[in-house]
Amino acid sequence: MSMPISYGNFISLDINRKKIAMEVTQVLLSAQAVDATVRKHAEDTLKQFQDQNLPGFLLSLSGELASEEKPIESRKLAGLILKNALDAKEQHRKYELVQRWLSLDVAVKGQIKACLLQTLSSSVPDARSTASQVIAKVASIELPQKQWPELIGSLLSNIHQVPPHVKQATLETLGYLCEEVVPDVVDQDHVNKILTAVVQGMNANEGNNEVRLAATRALYNALSFAQANFSNDMERDYIMRVVCEATLSPEVKIRLAAFECLVSIGSTYYEKLTPYIQDIFNITLKAVREEEEPVALQAIEFWSSVCDEEIDILEEYGGEFTADSDVPCYHFIKQALPALVPMLLETLLKQEEDQDQDDGAWNLAMAGGTCLGLVARTVGDDIVPLVMPFIEENITKPDWRQREAATYAFGSILEGPSPDKLTPIVNVALNFMLTALTNDPSSHVKDTTAWTLGRIFEFLHGSTMETPIITPENCQQIITVLLQSMKDVPNVAEKACGALYFLAQGYEDLGSSSSLMPYFQEIVQSLLNVTHREDAGESRLRTAAYETLNEVVRCSTEETARLVSELVQVIMAELHKTLEGQKLSSDEREKQNELQGLLCGCLQVIIQKLGASNTAKYAFMQYGDQIMNLLLRVFACRSATVHEEAMLAIGAFAYATGPNFAIFLPEFYKYLEMGLQNFEEYQVCAVTVGVVGDICRALEGKILPYCDGIMTQLLKDLSSNQLHRSVKPPIFSCFGDIALAIGENFEKYLMYAMPMLQSAAELSAHTSGVDDEMIEYTNLLRNGILEAYSGIFQGFKNTPKTQLLFPYAPHILQFLDSIYMEKDMDDVVMKTAIGVLGDLADTLGSNAGSLIQQSVSSKDFLNECLSSDDHLIKESAEWARLAISRAISV
Amino acid sequence: MATHELRRPFKRPAISDQQRRREISLQRQAQNRRDAQHQARCLASTILTLQPAQYEPTEPDLQPQSETELIPELEIESQEQRRDLRDIDDVIQASRLKGVEARQWFAKQLMLPEWMIDVPERLNTDWYVFARPAGKRCFVVSSNGTTISRLRNGSMLHRFPSALPNGARTSKSSQSGQSYCILDCIFHEPDQTYYVIDMVCWAGMSLYECTTEFRFFWLNSKLVETGACDVPSSYHKFRFSTVPIYNCDQEGLNAAYTGPVPYVKDGLLFCNKHAHYQSGNTPLMLVWKDENCSQYVIDTDSKGQVPNKQQVVLELLFDGKLATSDDPPVIFGCLNEDFIQKTGLQAGNLLRFAISDGGLSFVDGKLEKADLHYLGKPNRARAFADSYSKVIFQYTVRHSSLRIEHIYASMSLSSEQGNKISDLDMAG
């Protein structure tokens, strides 16, 4: 972070400015040179300049951007560097940049901002556009600090200027500004003026298409500021009229932007749609049939968004609307159904030839099918009679497009309608599908057929279904067809694997009555064959095969435990093979890495499966040494990072091995530490933290010699700003795991861990926002903190050192009080929190009795938990009550 | 210009299996953490550690806690038995025990009252009283969807479905797989009802270390909730019932002594409010009876006849001494070696004696001499020797009994002066 420069510096800087500015142009141009050496040199010079004199650097960049005499290339790059000096993707870096800007001298900032505003009038479009984006970035830093109050006023005054390009640049700036800043930092008066300017710019009377386009795009971002305006009937009518008119503009970019506005309105202002829905339906229907594809896609997207809203509402309220429901369901989809469904079915016939091979493909047929699926989830049974005639008519047609569309339509409506409605249809269709998957000449049809079978198994097959669609009789045929299909072209084979995945999943709860088990060996062998196909790298076929193998193992039963044990040897051999390659190219290394991931994933699933069965575990443990050695070698393949999948496998292995894991720990420890140090790949760090917990429970006291290292690393992780925040709650829980394992030996870590817990507790006591995501995170954090306290209390229980914890008790009780008062904890936190109250009483005994009696809300909290409907909360509460009653009665 | 995010193509899988593996892993870890917490919590809360069933050690030598911590209350006579019982640190497992082991284990878990041979201090403030139902004293354990009652000697009385938590295989109870209960009951034959006189564990929670006051409160608030007191049905074979419990003041004692109850009374039980549930004989729970509140004041023999002379059952120790079942035992006498060899008796045998005309002699409240006459071995079903208090109570019943008026009187006395009535007064 740089210090504000002194006035003296600024003067001297000003004297040299011209010289510097001269140089900057050249350096900026060189930085875009083809010659890498020249480029590198220029980049270094820029960096040096920035490090030595940041204010001067930023000033000269803004001067460069504003200067009409300079070449556009240097102006654009100047703007880009300026923008990057204000914002970064990474949260920690972003925060640093914001602080750095705020601490700059006011005069310097004023000069930069003046240059930026001036650039909006430039005759060069790229310069204007770049300036727009930089202005929005500065605004996003300054407006929340109540700085730059004159910005919006001066932008709005531009609107009335004659040259259309200034108006266009200003509207674009307003759009970016609305995208960058949060609505509550702009007062309503300014919002009104911005919207007025934007909507005027969108109006059909606006003769300049560039202006109209900029205005329409600006509205898209400004919509979230328009809550008050959308509550005003007249203003809302006006905005809606202008948007609908813009969808009819002769300019396709404007029409596209207008449809994007409609999509956003559909989800942001769902409850205000009633008066407009008929018009919007007509507009979108026409667009889907006649428009260019990007516009037609947005028209479909409008209905998908409305489905999303209605699904959310219906899920949240379960269809029961009481006076306190926030938003009622207006059943727009149900009302539009008779016309909407035929429109969507038409789109299904507009497939592209190669869409099944292209991962990123997104076209009318796919969007239409997606929307149809959402409609089915929204209205349930009602969709079935509207779609069935289309299926029946097309499914046997000679044109593959018709057969594929019919199959796709069927697959799309399998989630939503009741099993009662679908089962009879599926019973008839199943045979047809199996035949098609075997015999249809078109790969497109086979691809969609296999996918549809997967959907059938996903939604209509499982222990909860009243009438099973799969019987021991047809099971054999299904498996035969699917295994055969796995030899088809990669995209079809991948879908067949997917179908088998869901077929297996449906048997998960059935145990030994699973009809799949007689075919276990055959299925496993077929899947292994797939993984060895030369073309298994296409259409993620290999991945799908391993994933299905995992699912089949998860759903296997005691009878097949021996076969699963044999699979261990196969997977180990495969893993061993990946370790043989020497001196790999980076491409080969990536492939090795991916394959190791799949194999470790599979091992993890097998370990977990066999580890959970007492009989199978002993047989399997004879491979323990070999498995661990392989996993260690996988770790050793990489120098700087550890393999996440291997780490997950180790966790499962430690759990299954129990105390015997101690013999592996000396060799494994360095990878454990490496995993804990991996800030960049935070998933790896998180997984490793989980593994520490596994090892604690497996080794208990025997983990003690490693605890210094582990605790040091965990404490470092907690203090790091770089580490993703989602890893912090599990680290706190991990403190609890360690304390529980090593008991009073945790004493030496108390002085570090407790202040961290305490400050995190203070932070998480109150959720400041209305932001659901933040509340969810806060609850995760609270749960981690509370699990740490639980582990520490229970670890110290019945030791002579319990009195060491006494000084922390008041704060912990206060923390419990405050989260109780806050009334926003979830069930998990509630259960953990009431448990901590019990642990505190249990460990501190009569010492804590009076503290608990004095605490503000313990009693209410306990009573609330005791009367909870949640079984786990109640259980914890009853335990806490006993512990407290003992503490008080002593 | 941000455009609306494209939807995930419909035909791609919804979640990756890797994400699923991560989630399953996290779920497993969270579950293991809960189990570890639960285990830690239960450790000190109970003399019978209540570990969840899946936490049984995978190998016999991995027992993490010292045995003294786990089962301090088990009075185990021989090393052989000690080994047998060491691994059974879990009520659920204990309830799965079969035959002899089950009997031995359960026989040691009931809290057994001493007989009231003098009136305790502060009876009117610190004690409860209730009329004891006549019937079979037993432990009722509900777990794993079934309910089993076991008599004092450990033998099984009934196996049945009940509305107790996890007491029957119904959909309702299946959600709490680890949950189980242990109740201290008397099975009353005439109305086929289990009268619950104490609650030892409830819904997986141990109440061993809770005061009587709390246990009775918990018993009265929880039992009815479950529907266990409802009339029997197919999932609930026997009715359970609580008994009216009174504070042991004049009024309460009167209510327990004379008040109508739906069962046949067998004496009065007095329970100290502050006592924890303690297996074996305890002076904090007392039984007292006279002809007005019990049909069986004086012990009968196996034919149901009151024998001429009081009979006692004592245990033969290795050195020939004859002991009561108390801890520490009270010695009533000694058999000489010749006699032992001649009769082939062994240490640990229970022996039946009659108290002859010499009676019992006391000095300073302590038994000094007993005039015993060997009769033979008692009924095989006997698991224990008589307790000291029982012998003395029976002795006083035959000579100079502690009558209800004495108890009433002691209340007014103790409330005024805290006077103590000595053993000597009683032994007459």
Side-chain angles (χ1 to χ4, degrees), chain A residues 200-320:
Chain A
Q200 269 173 11
M202 280 179 76
N203 202 312
N205 303 332
E206 174 59 56
N208 185 304
N209 273 345
E210 292 299 310
V211 172
R212 206 176 169 199
L213 178 61
T216 311
R217 287 176 174 172
L219 181 69
Y220 178 87
N221 289 322
L223 280 169
S224 54
F225 288 67
Q227 289 291 348
N229 313 80
F230 262 82
S231 299
N232 177 319
D233 292 351
M234 234 169 60
E235 295 183 21
R236 185 181 64 240
D237 282 349
Y238 181 59
I239 295 171
M240 291 303 291
R241 203 192 79 215
V242 170
V243 173
C244 290
E245 278 173 11
T247 65
L248 305 171
S249 158
E251 174 59 45
V252 63
K253 284 184 185 165
I254 295 176
R255 297 202 302 275
L256 178 62
F259 269 107
E260 284 171 343
C261 288
L262 271 187
V263 172
S264 173
I265 291 167
S267 48
T268 316
Y269 299 107
Y270 168 82
E271 73 276 16
K272 310 281 188 202
L273 286 179
T274 309
Y276 318 106
I277 198 77
Q278 186 60 49
D279 287 340
I280 296 176
F281 182 78
N282 294 335
I283 291 170
T284 51
L285 182 68
K286 191 166 182 302
V288 170
R289 292 196 169 137
E290 298 168 17
E291 266 286 9
E292 295 186 31
E293 187 170 63
V295 183
L297 286 175
Q298 288 302 320
I300 295 175
E301 183 60 31
F302 172 83
W303 291 101
S304 293
S305 308
V306 173
C307 287
D308 285 342
E309 291 303 313
E310 295 197 342
I311 290 168
D312 279 355
I313 295 169
L314 293 170
E315 265 174 13
E316 194 163 336
Y317 303 113
E320 297 293 318

Side-chain angles (χ1 to χ4, degrees), chain A residues 157 246 378 403 435 478-479 590-591 601 605 782:
Chain A
S157 70
T378 313
R403 298 197 307 279
T435 312
I478 291 169
I479 289 166
E590 198 182 311
K591 277 192 184 143
V605 172
R782 288 169 177 169

